[in-house]
């Protein structure tokens, strides 16, 4: 059983640029959620994808967008980066009903916007 | 809107002592999670609590849930340095998407010799 892997691990971008973060779900998991964790804060839900469709969204602007692919891997895209977008971005995968046993989180991508 | 409050936010303990972290939440939820996070690392699932009165224990950590009081506790027994980390409670919203967890701000635990 493979875990949830995210890439890259660290990234530095300039304000106004665009970024794509990637997540490979744990084998057998068809649901992926993305979270933003600012320094010293708890993670905040960005959105969730289930079978390639967005299935829930948190309080984030449209410049945060995502994709899920047929193999259930996922991307988080952020356009027009702002300094406040600097954070740890976590993805979590699950399968139907697995929420009862907790979600599996990846190790995260640390994004710094300068 | 579901809100989650943890206290304390910072906790400095001596090895061998006991302490409790509290997690209060504002509206009905169908499950409560406890996670551990080491500095710069991801979230490690500790416990999932599904029903009123649920109690789970793993090593020196014990979690409980009182849905009537909307309160969960994480009790630490005879703390050791390896328990130093940030602990989060999180809940899923009833009727919300399955992956939409609402997290508390976390409790940063430091265990000193």
């Amino acid at each position: 059983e493979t875990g949830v892997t995210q890439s890259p691990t660290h990234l530095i971008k300039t304000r106004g640029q665009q970024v794509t973060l990637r997540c490979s779900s744990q084998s057998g998991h068809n649901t992926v959620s993305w979270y933003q964790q600012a320094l010293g804060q708890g993670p905040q839900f960005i959105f969730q994808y289930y079978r390639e469709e967005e299935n829930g969204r948190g309080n984030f602007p449209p410049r945060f967008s995502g994709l899920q692919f047929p193999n259930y891997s996922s991307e988080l895209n952020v356009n027009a980066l702002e300094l406040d977008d600097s954070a740890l971005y976590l993805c979590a995968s699950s399968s139907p009903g697995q929420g009862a046993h907790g979600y599996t989180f990846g190790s995260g991508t640390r994004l710094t916007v300068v | 809107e579901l809100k989650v409050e943890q206290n304390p936010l910072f906790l400095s303990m001596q090895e061998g002592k006991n302490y409790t972290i509290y997690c209060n939440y504002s509206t009905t939820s169908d499950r409560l999670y406890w996670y551990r996070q080491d500095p710069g690392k991801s979230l490690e699932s500790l416990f999932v609590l599904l029903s009123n009165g649920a109690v789970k224990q793993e090593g020196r950590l014990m979690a409980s849930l009182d849905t009537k009081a909307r309160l969960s506790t994480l009790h630490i027994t005879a703390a050791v340095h390896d328990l130093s980390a940030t602990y989060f409670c999180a809940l899923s919203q009833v009727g919300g998407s399955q992956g939409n967890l609402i997290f508390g701000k976390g409790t940063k635990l430091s265990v000193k010799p």
Side-chain angles (χ1 to χ4, degrees), chain B residues 47 56-62 75-77 83:
Chain B
F47 302 108
K56 291 194 176 180
Q57 183 162 5
E58 182 74 34
R60 300 175 188 274
L61 301 178
M62 183 174 72
H75 187 73
I76 302 154
T77 301
L83 291 179

Side-chain angles (χ1 to χ4, degrees), chain B residues 6 12 24 28 40-41 44 48 64 83-84 89 109 111:
Chain B
Q6 282 183 243
S12 181
N24 291 90
T28 303
K41 304 293 185 183
E44 174 191 352
V48 183
S64 65
L83 291 179
S84 297
C89 65
L109 172 64
V111 181

Side-chain angles (χ1 to χ4, degrees), chain B residues 23-38:
Chain B
C23 174
N24 291 90
Y25 55 98
S26 59
T27 64
T28 303
S29 176
D30 54 3
R31 54 194 61 166
L32 187 142
Y33 304 84
W34 283 97
Y35 287 92
R36 168 183 170 144
Q37 188 176 40
D38 292 296

Side-chain angles (χ1 to χ4, degrees), chain B:
Chain B
E1 180 189 346
L2 176 60
K3 294 187 178 179
V4 181
E5 279 192 12
Q6 282 183 243
N7 69 83
L9 297 182
F10 298 92
L11 179 55
S12 181
M13 297 177 64
Q14 280 194 309
E15 281 192 329
K17 299 291 187 183
N18 304 333
Y19 210 84
T20 300
I21 299 171
Y22 297 90
C23 174
N24 291 90
Y25 55 98
S26 59
T27 64
T28 303
S29 176
D30 54 3
R31 54 194 61 166
L32 187 142
Y33 304 84
W34 283 97
Y35 287 92
R36 168 183 170 144
Q37 188 176 40
D38 292 296
K41 304 293 185 183
S42 188
L43 297 167
E44 174 191 352
S45 179
L46 296 174
F47 302 108
V48 183
L49 303 171
L50 300 177
S51 59
N52 187 43
V55 177
K56 291 194 176 180
Q57 183 162 5
E58 182 74 34
R60 300 175 188 274
L61 301 178
M62 183 174 72
S64 65
L65 178 62
D66 180 344
T67 58
K68 293 179 182 177
R70 296 179 184 161
L71 171 69
S72 180
T73 60
L74 181 66
H75 187 73
I76 302 154
T77 301
V80 293
H81 179 69
D82 285 352
L83 291 179
S84 297
T86 299
Y87 293 85
F88 292 96
C89 65
L91 293 96
S92 58
Q93 294 200 103
V94 174
S97 61
Q98 188 187 29
N100 182 358
L101 298 182
I102 309 298
F103 283 81
K105 290 188 174 182
T107 297
K108 186 172 183 179
L109 172 64
S110 175
V111 181
K112 303 183 185 304

Side-chain angles (χ1 to χ4, degrees), chain A residues 16-51:
Chain A
Q17 284 188 314
Q18 178 265 342
V19 69
T20 298
L21 310 182
R22 294 179 174 83
C23 173
S24 293
S25 302
Q26 184 162 323
S27 177
H29 289 185
N30 57 12
T31 301
V32 66
S33 302
W34 284 91
Y35 289 82
Q36 180 195 66
Q37 186 179 19
L39 199 61
Q41 301 294 317
Q44 288 199 306
F45 175 70
I46 303 174
F47 44 58
Q48 177 182 265
Y49 278 80
Y50 171 66
R51 292 186 175 179

Side-chain angles (χ1 to χ4, degrees), chain A residues 24-100:
Chain A
S24 293
S25 302
Q26 184 162 323
S27 177
H29 289 185
N30 57 12
T31 301
V32 66
S33 302
W34 284 91
Y35 289 82
Q36 180 195 66
Q37 186 179 19
L39 199 61
Q41 301 294 317
Q44 288 199 306
F45 175 70
I46 303 174
F47 44 58
Q48 177 182 265
Y49 278 80
Y50 171 66
R51 292 186 175 179
E52 303 175 56
E53 297 281 336
E54 188 178 290
N55 180 34
R57 188 176 183 94
N59 189 25
F60 280 81
R63 59 189 186 85
F64 285 78
S65 63
L67 283 173
Q68 187 182 30
F69 299 100
N71 65 356
Y72 303 133
S73 65
S74 176
E75 287 182 355
L76 164 64
N77 299 290
V78 187
N79 293 322
L81 284 166
E82 300 177 0
L83 297 179
D84 284 350
D85 296 333
S86 295
L88 180 67
Y89 288 85
L90 298 164
C91 75
S93 72
S94 65
S95 58
Q98 196 243 356

